[in-house]
Amino acid sequence: MKKRIWQSGLAIVAAAALVAGCGTNNSSSGSSNTSNSGGTGNTTSTSGKTIKVGLVTDTGGLNDNSFNHLAYVGMQEAQKQLPNIQTSVVQSQSESDYVPNLSHFAQDGYDLVIAVGYLMADAVQQVAKEYPKTHFLIIDDSITGIPNVASAIFQSQQAGYLAGVVAGMVQKDHLLKNINNHNTVGVVGGQEIPPVDSYIAGFQQGFHSVDPTGKVLIEYTNSFNDEAAGSQYAQNEISQGADIIFPVAGGTGIGSIKAAQSAKVYAIGVDTDQSYLAPGTVITSAIKRVDTSVFDTIKAVQDGTFKSGVNTFDLSNNGVGIAPLISGLPKSVTDAVNQAKQEILSGKIQVSATVQK
């Protein structure tokens, strides 16, 4: 897949409830599908026509406790809060599923098709041109010039920076039990792509703003749905002295967090508040509101106000940030985070989206 210039933008935390109980059935394409026709009775409202919304996950699936999960949460909230919303989900098992899964919804007359993830950009551009009457939303990539495609872009580097400040202070000043003297933290990335690297770049910069001599280990698993790999890579970094692990790897990152918990070190979550995965281990989480972008786009389609082009989410519109800090940290950490946020907003701090290697 060719590289793209990735513009950023973002949002905060969503419900932490797992979607494992949403009942899936295997389809002939190797994908899995779950459909909801408005259990709250919203689809029977007489205020307007039923709006059909289809969600296509990337290979991380609904149970990634990350951006696919957040997209699903946003769609479910729209179904609960808005009239006449009917929803359905297809989970992609491989990248070859993207075009057929998107086409499935477009062929069935869905009003909005949501593609979760940067890796789906080529598929969205292909299918959107074939079905110009269907609205599309892509998460984490910028598509312009196609009138039926909207893009949600997140400045993840800003959230990563704030998380890096927390990690730097905890590491440098030994603010939590079991922080060692190696002055090292670890990052486990899913793939070396812009939505992942922007988080990592911000984290590096924020960490070094507090602890300039500290070391940030970075490894990529090349997967968003392999908990075993996430655990293995985290263990490797822990063996090199890392006592804070920051996984930016979707479902793969769950394994990294569990590895940190087993080793009695710490982790920082991503996309949503992941403290529930390992209470006492997750210090905070760098978050973005994929759920908000999904909800707002569904509402726009319903209201007839859908606009193509790029919608940016960042600190200025509460699109990105960090989750509450683990208990036991001094007020100085919160103060440092708040100061960093204000300096980013004022332009005093310019956060890079490029990983330093």
Side-chain angles (χ1 to χ4, degrees), residues 37-38 40-47 50 84:
S37 58
T40 59
N42 287 337
T43 59
T44 61
S45 171
T46 57
S47 60
T50 295
N84 303 330

Side-chain angles (χ1 to χ4, degrees), residues 333-345:
V333 179
T334 300
D335 291 342
V337 169
N338 289 336
Q339 180 178 346
K341 178 179 179 180
Q342 292 306 313
E343 291 181 355
I344 292 171
L345 289 171

Side-chain angles (χ1 to χ4, degrees), residues 36 44 64 182 226 231 237 259 332 348:
N36 299 282
T44 61
D64 65 352
H182 291 285
D226 188 342
S231 176
E237 292 179 340
S332 59
K348 183 177 181 180

